[in-house]
Amino acid sequence: MSCSIPSSTYTPPPLARPVSPAARAHYQAQLDEKTKPLGALGGLETLALRLACLIGGEQPELQDPQVMVFAADHGLAAEGVSAFPQSVTHQMLLNFLSGGAAINVFARQHQLALTLVDAGVIGDLPEHPQLRQHKLGQGTRSSLHQAAMTEADCITAIKTGQQLVSATPGNLLILGEMGIGNTSAASLIISRLLGLPIKQCIGRGTGLDDPGLARKQQVLTQVLTRHAEVSDPLGVLATFGGFEIAMMTGALLQAASEGRVLLMDGVIASSALLVAEQLQPGIKDWAIFSHRSAEPGHALLLEALGAEPLLDLGLRLGEGTGAALAYPLLVSALAMLNQMASLTEAGVSGPAGKIECTP
């Protein structure tokens, strides 16, 4: 059984105000007046301009940056699509809660507030100040046999993601995830929504060997064939996705409606953005892509969205780690815009040799 959901079932929040041409021209003029040749800081200037336009104000600044890591299990993991057992999801959540995961390290290093969300992890988790309990079930169903989620659970997950963001401060959001089998779910979403062969969209995930990769490709091909009629974004999300991907979709929609910068992580978080973009065209304009994942489907998704990531380090961990690593670049870009002297202030000659100030 598949799940096709009419667009009238869910109405996404409207996007925040568009960037005005006057604001863009104002910030570009500021950048051009800095004590450097035009464009000498390359992509950092492009990044500063984007951030300034999204945040606004005379001194655009990042405030209370947030990392939300959504975790859930996937029924599809039982079909042998991952190199790790499904129990690792629960084990890694305990590691997050004890502060020992990579995202904990990077969040502490860069003073990023970290929230963990149990969207549907198998097994109970202890109470913890960083943990939000929103379990929608003991993992999703296997999409090889039926839709991963019901229509009601999919909509509930999206709205839960919205509510979590609405109750959280800040003007920048990083989304991370944890869930054995979720690269398969993301690959299925990307394949169906972009109309790409599944073979082009899948990688080794947690480290599959060649026979494991062949098995993954076979299973995912069967999943797509079983649900060949599903094409609407909500139906695709419910049929192929996971509780954590659906909650991330809602979180992204809410954040963009509030004018927050979306600092995107890898393939799984980006698959949620792809769903959000089809539900609310233009949300991608609020997204800055931190890195290009080693998962093949991510490069194809970035190309489809016309996005150029900041880093390319062969990352494939998830958790929001790529976005956390890219975060200092955003800090530097705005520091340059706000603190670097202008030619006039410094008494430095412009490109034509003219002194830009009166001593």
Side-chain angles (χ1 to χ4, degrees), residues 32-38 342-357 359:
D32 291 347
E33 279 296 305
K34 299 298 181 183
T35 48
K36 58 173 180 57
L38 287 174
S342 69
L343 295 169
T344 299
E345 290 167 340
V348 174
S349 298
K354 178 182 177 182
I355 297 294
E356 298 293 333
C357 73

Side-chain angles (χ1 to χ4, degrees), residues 178-204:
M178 177 62 214
I180 295 300
N182 62 10
T183 58
S184 291
S187 297
L188 289 165
I189 290 170
I190 293 167
S191 173
R192 181 54 53 86
L193 291 183
L194 294 182
L196 297 170
I198 189 63
K199 186 175 182 179
Q200 296 180 17
C201 300
I202 63 172
R204 297 183 185 273

Side-chain angles (χ1 to χ4, degrees), residues 130-152:
Q130 287 179 292
L131 179 64
R132 305 292 178 267
Q133 300 272 13
H134 293 281
K135 194 190 299 287
L136 288 174
Q138 300 289 324
T140 56
R141 304 175 301 198
S142 172
S143 56
L144 183 60
H145 307 294
Q146 58 189 315
M149 289 176 274
T150 65
E151 173 184 326

Side-chain angles (χ1 to χ4, degrees), residues 5 12 25 28 71 101 136 153 159 205-206 221 229 261 298-299 329 334 346:
I5 305 177
Q28 185 64 63
L136 288 174
D153 281 346
K159 291 183 177 179
T206 50
T221 300
E229 76 285 1
V261 177
H298 193 230
L329 289 174
L334 288 178

Side-chain angles (χ1 to χ4, degrees), residues 97 125-131 133:
L97 294 176
L125 292 164
E127 295 292 328
H128 191 282
Q130 287 179 292
L131 179 64
Q133 300 272 13

Side-chain angles (χ1 to χ4, degrees), residues 254-314:
Q254 183 67 29
S257 77
E258 296 177 5
R260 304 191 195 209
V261 177
L262 311 176
L263 182 53
M264 299 304 303
D265 194 48
V267 66
I268 298 150
S270 297
S271 74
L273 182 73
L274 180 60
V275 176
E277 175 66 23
Q278 295 206 2
L279 291 172
Q280 184 63 280
I283 191 175
K284 66 180 181 180
D285 296 335
W286 290 89
I288 292 172
F289 291 83
S290 62
H291 71 109
R292 180 178 286 105
S293 169
E295 282 290 303
H298 193 230
L300 297 172
L301 187 154
L302 292 173
E303 182 181 356
L305 294 179
E308 186 63 36
L310 300 176
L311 304 173
D312 193 348
L313 301 174

